[in-house]
Amino acid sequence: MTIDKIIVPLDVPDLDSAIALINKLPQVTFWKVGLELFTSTGPLILEILKSRQKRIFLDLKFHDIPNTVAGACRAAAGYGVDLLTIHATCGTDALKAAAEAVQVGAEKAGTKPPKLIAITLLTSISARQLAFDLKIPLELPEFALEMALLAQNSGLNGAVCSPQEVRQLRASCENDFVLVCPGVRPTWAEKGDQKRSLTPSQAITAGADYLVIGRPITAAPEPELAWNQIVQELEIDHN
């Protein structure tokens, strides 16, 4: 179903704001919990979402040494979330340790392990910033592809990438490798700080499995109307 491909971020500072947004958008089936909200509420927000039969993208973007990353992934897997993120730039040892740890953590908790998704490159980073700030000599699409292939070869389930890289990644990675695209913006929405954006329809056509769409929905004067408009546009283009 089209609505199952759209992940809406709970990019709010506290539990009351999160619950208010969830109540405002009852049609949303898949929510993203990021650093700010999880730091504020801890696992309580995950329990609330689970009690409402919602799917959860726990986007904490772990980035640390192998032992620390493995411990964090082992703990996070026990929450029963659907997707969990780690930076590909942690390197092979940490990625492999994380992939093993989510299996162990989920088994211990008696739940299904989350799909472990690698961050290739933050969508707020431009090609110029990659070259001049981060001193990485690869072209941006090549760097994103290399990080995705590193993740795939390390046993991860997928990658987060900008919509503009998704076509190349889909062609190069295995068919079951999950591609999650943030920075997706309908034609009628402002791009904000997303430098490498496509419309929802373009991103799905390019091979994205999931779209993370935040401010065009959550910052709209009427979020429910914005949600419905995006869903309808996708259904017209892809049914």
Side-chain angles (χ1 to χ4, degrees), residues 126-183:
S126 67
R128 179 177 177 81
Q129 288 170 320
L130 184 70
F132 290 96
D133 294 350
L134 303 184
K135 311 301 181 187
I136 292 174
L138 299 178
E139 294 293 329
L140 193 150
E142 184 183 357
F143 179 78
L145 176 60
E146 290 297 331
M147 292 300 98
L149 292 174
L150 175 65
Q152 179 180 275
N153 294 336
S154 301
L156 271 68
N157 306 106
V160 177
C161 64
S162 107
Q164 293 186 357
E165 285 97 59
V166 71
R167 189 179 300 277
Q168 182 183 19
L169 267 60
R170 177 52 68 214
S172 302
C173 297
E174 295 174 0
N175 290 336
D176 61 351
F177 194 70
V178 176
L179 297 178
V180 181
C181 290

Side-chain angles (χ1 to χ4, degrees), residues 8-9 11-12 21 24-25 185 188-190 213-224 226-227:
V8 178
D11 288 341
V12 292
L21 186 54
K24 197 177 291 185
L25 290 163
R185 293 287 184 266
W188 41 265
E190 294 182 4
I213 308 176
R215 279 167 288 186
I217 297 171
T218 58
E222 296 184 65
E224 192 170 1
W227 162 266

Side-chain angles (χ1 to χ4, degrees), residues 1-3 6 27 186 188 200-201 211 213 217 224-239:
M1 292 177 63
T2 300
I3 62 171
I6 303 172
Q27 307 96 322
W188 41 265
S201 182
L211 311 176
I213 308 176
I217 297 171
E224 192 170 1
L225 287 180
W227 162 266
N228 289 336
Q229 185 174 347
I230 291 170
V231 170
Q232 287 167 7
E233 289 174 359
L234 276 174
E235 287 177 343
I236 289 171
D237 290 341
H238 293 280
N239 284 344

Side-chain angles (χ1 to χ4, degrees), residues 42-208:
L44 179 56
I45 182 59
L46 308 182
E47 294 169 11
I48 290 170
L49 288 168
K50 295 281 284 186
S51 72
R52 299 190 185 201
Q53 288 76 51
K54 305 296 185 182
R55 299 176 73 195
I56 302 170
F57 175 16
L58 186 56
D59 187 24
L60 301 183
K61 297 184 177 72
F62 295 137
H63 194 176
D64 216 309
I65 62 173
N67 187 60
T68 302
V69 162
C73 287
R74 193 179 306 115
Y79 294 137
V81 300
D82 299 273
L83 303 177
L84 178 67
T85 49
I86 178 175
H87 276 280
T89 49
C90 283
T92 301
D93 290 347
L95 295 176
K96 287 182 176 179
E100 294 174 6
V102 293
Q103 301 295 324
V104 173
E107 184 177 355
K108 183 178 180 181
T111 189
K112 183 179 178 181
K115 289 187 181 298
L116 192 57
I117 308 296
I119 304 295
T120 54
L121 184 68
L122 298 174
T123 55
S124 59
I125 300 291
S126 67
R128 179 177 177 81
Q129 288 170 320
L130 184 70
F132 290 96
D133 294 350
L134 303 184
K135 311 301 181 187
I136 292 174
L138 299 178
E139 294 293 329
L140 193 150
E142 184 183 357
F143 179 78
L145 176 60
E146 290 297 331
M147 292 300 98
L149 292 174
L150 175 65
Q152 179 180 275
N153 294 336
S154 301
L156 271 68
N157 306 106
V160 177
C161 64
S162 107
Q164 293 186 357
E165 285 97 59
V166 71
R167 189 179 300 277
Q168 182 183 19
L169 267 60
R170 177 52 68 214
S172 302
C173 297
E174 295 174 0
N175 290 336
D176 61 351
F177 194 70
V178 176
L179 297 178
V180 181
C181 290
V184 176
R185 293 287 184 266
T187 54
W188 41 265
E190 294 182 4
K191 285 189 176 181
D193 59 2
Q194 300 297 343
K195 304 287 176 59
R196 310 191 316 278
S197 182
L198 290 180
T199 69
S201 182
Q202 289 170 332
I204 292 292
T205 299

